[in-house]
Amino acid sequence: MFTNRNPSTSMHKILEHSLVTIFPKKTPEDCSIIFIKFVDSNSDNFNLLDELKYINMVCMLHLYQEGPSDGYLILVDLKEMSFGHVVKIRPLLTKNFFYYLQEAMPVRLKGIHFFNPVPFMDTFLSLVKPFLKKEMLDTLYVHETIDALTKFVPLECLPVDYGGSEETAAHLHKKIRNKLIENTAVFDWEETLTVDESKRMKESKMNDFFGIDGSFKKLEID
C-alpha cells in the first residue's frame, strides 16, 4: 500500500473513477471530513489496493499541508456502488488497512458515516465490521437521507450538489487529482522510509502486521 503511488501513472486510473478528498470546511467540533465516493458504477475500474492507497495519500498530504485536526469523520456516498465492487473486496487487505487506520495512521477517527445505502448493504457491512474496534463500531452509522446525515455533519460542510454550500463534488474531484499530481515528490519521499526486509540478519518472523513479532505481555529473565 505504500509503494507505486505515482498519481500520474500507476494511480491514474483509480483517480479517474473514484473520489477521495477532505472537505475545505470542518465541523464545529474541529473535525475534518474525509469524503469517499465512486464516480461511476463500473466495477471493472475498481482496484481495492489502489483505492486504499488513494485514501492514505489524500489523508497524509492533508496532514503535511494543513496540520492535524481534533478528529476525523469518514463520509462515504454509496450511490454508485455495485455488487461487483463488493465481490472485489479482499478480506486480508481490508483487515490490514483497518488495522493501519485505527492503530497507525496519525488521525483520530471519530466516526464512519455511510449514506445512499445500497440493497446489499448487509453484505457490504459484514465484510467491514469484523475489522473495526468496538469503539469504532459504536460510531458507525448508515443514513437513509441527507437530513439524517446532517445530525452529525452540518449541511454547510457538504458540496452544493448535496444541498450544502461548498464546491460541487465534481470540482473537488478535479482539484484533488491536480493536487496529488503536483505533490508526487511527497509520495516518492515517503517510499524511501519503508523497511528493506532483505537486509535482516536472520529469517523474519513477522506476523500479519507491520513486522511486529510477539508482544511485551510476558517478560522472562534467566
Side-chain angles (χ1 to χ4, degrees):
M1 194 175 70
F2 303 100
T3 59
N4 299 320
R5 299 182 300 165
N6 190 308
S8 58
T9 55
S10 59
M11 291 290 296
H12 177 72
K13 186 175 181 180
I14 201 72
L15 297 183
E16 292 295 322
H17 297 287
S18 65
L19 165 61
V20 179
T21 192
I22 297 181
F23 288 155
K25 188 175 294 183
K26 297 181 180 181
T27 69
E29 296 77 26
D30 197 41
C31 287
S32 293
I33 303 167
I34 303 167
F35 180 62
I36 303 169
K37 69 168 292 187
F38 294 115
V39 175
D40 66 59
S41 58
N42 185 358
S43 60
D44 290 340
N45 297 318
F46 175 67
N47 180 291
L48 179 61
L49 178 57
D50 285 345
E51 191 74 31
L52 299 180
K53 287 183 184 182
Y54 187 8
I55 294 169
N56 187 53
M57 289 164 68
V58 169
C59 292
M60 295 308 297
L61 186 60
H62 183 265
L63 279 168
Y64 292 145
Q65 295 184 335
E66 306 294 335
S69 300
D70 284 350
Y72 290 80
L73 299 177
I74 296 179
L75 178 58
V76 186
D77 181 358
L78 297 174
K79 184 177 181 180
E80 299 297 335
M81 187 182 196
S82 69
F83 193 73
H85 291 102
V86 176
V87 171
K88 288 189 171 183
I89 293 178
R90 295 155 54 188
L92 182 57
L93 180 57
T94 305
K95 173 185 176 181
N96 288 350
F97 176 76
F98 275 110
Y99 187 92
Y100 165 67
L101 176 64
Q102 295 172 101
E103 302 292 345
M105 186 186 285
V107 299
R108 183 178 297 164
L109 200 56
K110 294 291 187 71
I112 302 175
H113 298 264
F114 297 103
F115 71 105
N116 286 329
V118 288
F120 43 88
M121 196 70 202
D122 289 345
T123 302
F124 170 64
L125 290 177
S126 70
L127 297 173
V128 173
K129 285 184 175 181
F131 310 126
L132 293 176
K133 297 166 65 175
K134 182 182 184 303
E135 53 264 41
M136 285 311 308
L137 283 172
D138 292 341
T139 58
L140 186 152
Y141 301 91
V142 179
H143 306 290
E144 296 285 345
T145 65
I146 292 290
D147 286 344
L149 173 65
T150 55
K151 294 178 182 178
F152 301 88
V153 179
L155 191 62
E156 60 267 22
C157 294
L158 301 177
V160 65
D161 42 330
Y162 288 87
S165 57
E166 292 296 329
E167 298 170 307
T168 65
H171 191 65
L172 292 173
H173 189 200
K174 181 178 179 180
K175 286 178 68 174
I176 194 63
R177 283 183 297 168
N178 291 340
K179 181 179 287 189
L180 291 174
I181 291 170
E182 290 167 2
N183 289 277
T184 299
V186 173
F187 307 113
D188 289 341
W189 167 75
E190 274 198 336
E191 289 193 25
T192 67
L193 306 179
T194 56
V195 172
D196 184 352
E197 293 291 344
S198 68
K199 294 183 179 180
R200 287 188 183 272
M201 296 299 292
K202 60 181 180 179
E203 183 180 355
S204 173
K205 297 180 180 179
M206 292 187 299
N207 68 2
D208 289 340
F209 300 124
F210 315 117
I212 300 171
D213 184 17
S215 71
F216 293 102
K217 292 181 179 179
K218 183 178 181 183
L219 180 63
E220 295 181 350
I221 302 175
D222 294 332

